[in-house]
Structure formats: structure tokens, C-alpha cells
Amino acid sequence: MASADANPPMPEFRDDYVLVEVDNDYLQSKVKPKQFIHIDQSECIMCEGCVDICPWKCIHMVAPEAVDLAVGTDQPGVDPSDHVIFTIDEDACTRCALCVDRCPTGVITLGRLGDPGGDGDPHQRMPSYGYGYGMRLS
């Protein structure tokens, strides 16, 4: 009868890496950009379903008072209708789309950045680049 070793041998670690500087064109051709994820707070019912279902806990719903400084965006909480602020940890989010599927009002969109639709809103759902059931986004 075989016995399990509580401390199996460690695998060999590679140390033959070579650091190479690449140009921007090469990087653009090899790295696939992440899809955007957008939550339309104006129609959100604040059910926290997206926060609850996220397996990596990368979506956070916080009060506007919790934000001391906003960088690269409008100051949250200035609009009196801002009851909450959604933040997404871009480094942790894998774009699994569970939050999109769970949202009862459909205010979360996931898709690729592309040409704006007819009304000029680049965040609206479009069959050409937006999120859709059964659609393969590549």
C-alpha cells in the first residue's frame, strides 16, 4: 500500500529568464486588452448581487464619503443622487461576467471598447462588441 508524503519534493525553479525590452507595436500585437466593465449607477437598484456573486471579491459598493480623493474621474458624491459608488479592482477582476448575469436590472455591461453606437454612447450594449449570451468575445 502506497503512503502519501506530507512534504513532497519541491519542483525545480527556472532561473534562465532573460529580460528583453520590446517595442510598443510588438506589445500591442501580443497583449490582449481587457474588456471594459461598466455599472450604470443611475438605474442600479443597489441590491448588491454583483458584490455577493463575485468569486474574487473585486467589486466593492461603498458610500461616497469613503472616497477621499478621486483620480482620473469626476469627484464621486458631488451629484446628490450618488447614494453609493462602485469600484472594481481591475487587477483582480477576470471578467468572468457572473456579475453581468446576476444583475436583475441589466445595468452592468461587459464588452470591448469600440466605435460608439448611433447615439454616441460607447458603453451601450451592441452585438458587435458588447456582452451577450452565447457570444464569444475574442
Side-chain angles (χ1 to χ4, degrees), residues 45-66:
I45 60 173
M46 294 174 263
C47 66
E48 291 189 81
C50 56
V51 177
D52 292 338
I53 200 164
C54 181
W56 293 272
K57 302 301 177 203
C58 55
I59 300 178
H60 307 280
M61 190 169 93
V62 297
E65 300 83 42

Side-chain angles (χ1 to χ4, degrees), residues 19-128:
L19 183 62
V20 177
E21 186 174 340
V22 296
D23 64 355
N24 190 34
D25 293 333
Y26 175 82
L27 190 62
Q28 294 275 340
S29 68
K30 299 298 180 189
V31 177
K32 194 172 172 182
K34 278 193 167 187
Q35 298 172 319
F36 74 82
I37 187 164
H38 178 71
I39 301 173
D40 182 2
Q41 291 181 218
S42 65
E43 296 186 21
C44 179
I45 60 173
M46 294 174 263
C47 66
E48 291 189 81
C50 56
V51 177
D52 292 338
I53 200 164
C54 181
W56 293 272
K57 302 301 177 203
C58 55
I59 300 178
H60 307 280
M61 190 169 93
V62 297
E65 300 83 42
V67 178
D68 185 36
L69 178 65
V71 177
T73 185
D74 295 332
Q75 183 65 38
V78 173
D79 186 349
S81 64
D82 287 346
H83 301 292
V84 297
I85 297 168
F86 289 95
T87 61
I88 300 171
D89 183 351
E90 296 288 340
D91 294 331
C93 184
T94 61
R95 307 305 197 260
C96 66
L98 289 174
C99 56
V100 177
D101 293 338
R102 174 81 177 265
C103 182
T105 56
V107 300
I108 304 175
T109 55
L110 175 68
R112 283 181 249 148
L113 292 175
D115 294 330
D119 65 352
D121 182 7
H123 296 293
Q124 72 184 11
R125 295 181 191 201
M126 296 287 290
S128 61

